[in-house]
Amino acid sequence: SQTIHQWPATLVQPVGSPLSLECTVEGTSNPNLYWYRQAAGRGLQLLFYSVGIGQISSEVPQNLSASRPQDRQFILSSKKLLLSDSGFYLCAWSVLGRGNTGELFFGEGSRLTVL
Amino acid sequence: AQKVTQAQTEISVVEKEDVTLDCVYETRDTTYYLFWYKQPPSGELVFLIRRNSFDEQNEISGRYSWNFQKSTSSFNFTITASQVVDSAVYFCALRSGGGADGLTFGKGTHLIIQP
């Protein structure tokens, strides 16, 4: 069966510090991978998605970046965090293609507080 | 552009009452998929159901049922005989066509079941 894990679960960082959140998927190959952010009291905002190694699509311009160094690994980074980067970050995967209708399966989430 | 509207920000009912969560969507595509997710206090989003645009059959799963009506662009979710464990934030989401660019989520409805 497929599993998805992301870490760290909780992170408190000062403004201006770097960020690295990591997500890995097991039990499937060539998944589509996604990073969403959920700000307090708000819905889910798609940040990045990737359909393959090294292929990153950005949905929202910001000081965050994403990378996919391996097929089942997705990393969210920042060189300098802003207060507005605080939120709950969710990694997700899906498989598109015959017989798959693209529902997303989410990781446990990473709660980031920028002080 | 596609859009999902969940007009109910928060609903509070007493245990054992029935409750319906509303979802209205907008899309120009003729092929699309609708989803419901549950987000318990732990934060992880749990996939509940997917519906295809060409299948308007309603679905029942235990105490959960979904009413899909293309004529009103709605995909409502009903919980019968609610329980405290149903307390969570529920998200409705939409994916159009065969794109890999993730789901568009509504802002969510916070459901509170009081004992």
Side-chain angles (χ1 to χ4, degrees):
Chain A
S1 64
Q2 301 90 353
T3 58
I4 178 170
H5 296 291
Q6 60 178 108
W7 65 94
T10 306
L11 201 58
V12 180
Q13 292 286 99
V15 170
S17 64
L19 170 73
S20 181
L21 300 179
E22 190 165 340
C23 170
T24 60
V25 179
E26 297 293 335
T28 187
S29 59
N30 197 31
N32 296 323
L33 297 174
Y34 305 84
W35 279 110
Y36 279 84
R37 177 171 61 197
Q38 185 178 24
R42 301 179 67 177
L44 287 95
Q45 178 187 38
L46 178 63
L47 302 176
F48 301 95
Y49 70 92
S50 171
V51 299
I53 296 174
Q55 301 178 61
I56 308 295
S57 296
S58 174
E59 291 294 301
V60 182
Q62 62 225 317
N63 68 319
L64 299 173
S65 62
S67 62
R68 185 170 177 174
Q70 299 180 42
D71 181 45
R72 291 169 294 175
Q73 183 185 27
F74 205 24
I75 298 172
L76 182 69
S77 304
S78 174
K79 292 182 179 179
K80 289 186 177 181
L81 285 168
L82 306 173
L83 286 174
S84 57
D85 292 324
S86 293
F88 191 55
Y89 289 81
L90 288 151
C91 182
W93 71 274
S94 75
V95 177
L96 291 181
R98 192 168 187 168
N100 295 299
T101 48
E103 52 263 36
L104 300 185
F105 298 95
F106 286 85
E108 309 93 329
S110 298
R111 192 166 302 281
L112 171 65
T113 303
V114 182
L115 301 175
Chain B
Q2 51 191 32
K3 184 180 178 182
V4 176
T5 302
Q6 295 180 256
Q8 304 151 310
T9 304
E10 184 174 290
I11 300 174
S12 181
V13 300
V14 177
E15 197 173 20
K16 297 184 183 178
E17 288 185 7
D18 299 345
V19 58
T20 295
L21 309 181
D22 298 333
C23 173
V24 174
Y25 63 92
E26 297 176 28
T27 179
R28 294 181 179 177
D29 291 300
T30 55
T31 300
Y32 53 89
Y33 303 89
L34 296 163
F35 307 83
W36 276 96
Y37 284 83
K38 175 181 180 180
Q39 186 179 40
S42 61
E44 181 178 351
L45 267 79
V46 179
F47 167 68
L48 295 179
I49 190 172
R50 176 199 70 247
R51 218 67 194 134
N52 310 326
S53 56
F54 42 87
D55 180 5
E56 283 194 75
Q57 273 193 330
N58 292 326
E59 185 155 337
I60 298 175
S61 176
R63 297 184 295 107
Y64 295 173
S65 62
W66 291 269
N67 183 0
F68 175 30
Q69 293 194 337
K70 289 179 75 171
S71 60
T72 56
S73 297
S74 65
F75 186 42
N76 296 337
F77 174 27
T78 297
I79 300 175
T80 303
S82 60
Q83 299 176 2
V84 172
V85 293
D86 295 326
S87 296
V89 180
Y90 290 86
F91 290 94
C92 181
L94 165 71
R95 184 174 75 83
S96 291
D101 52 346
L103 308 183
T104 298
F105 284 85
K107 292 187 183 295
T109 297
H110 185 197
L111 177 62
I112 301 169
I113 310 297
Q114 300 178 18

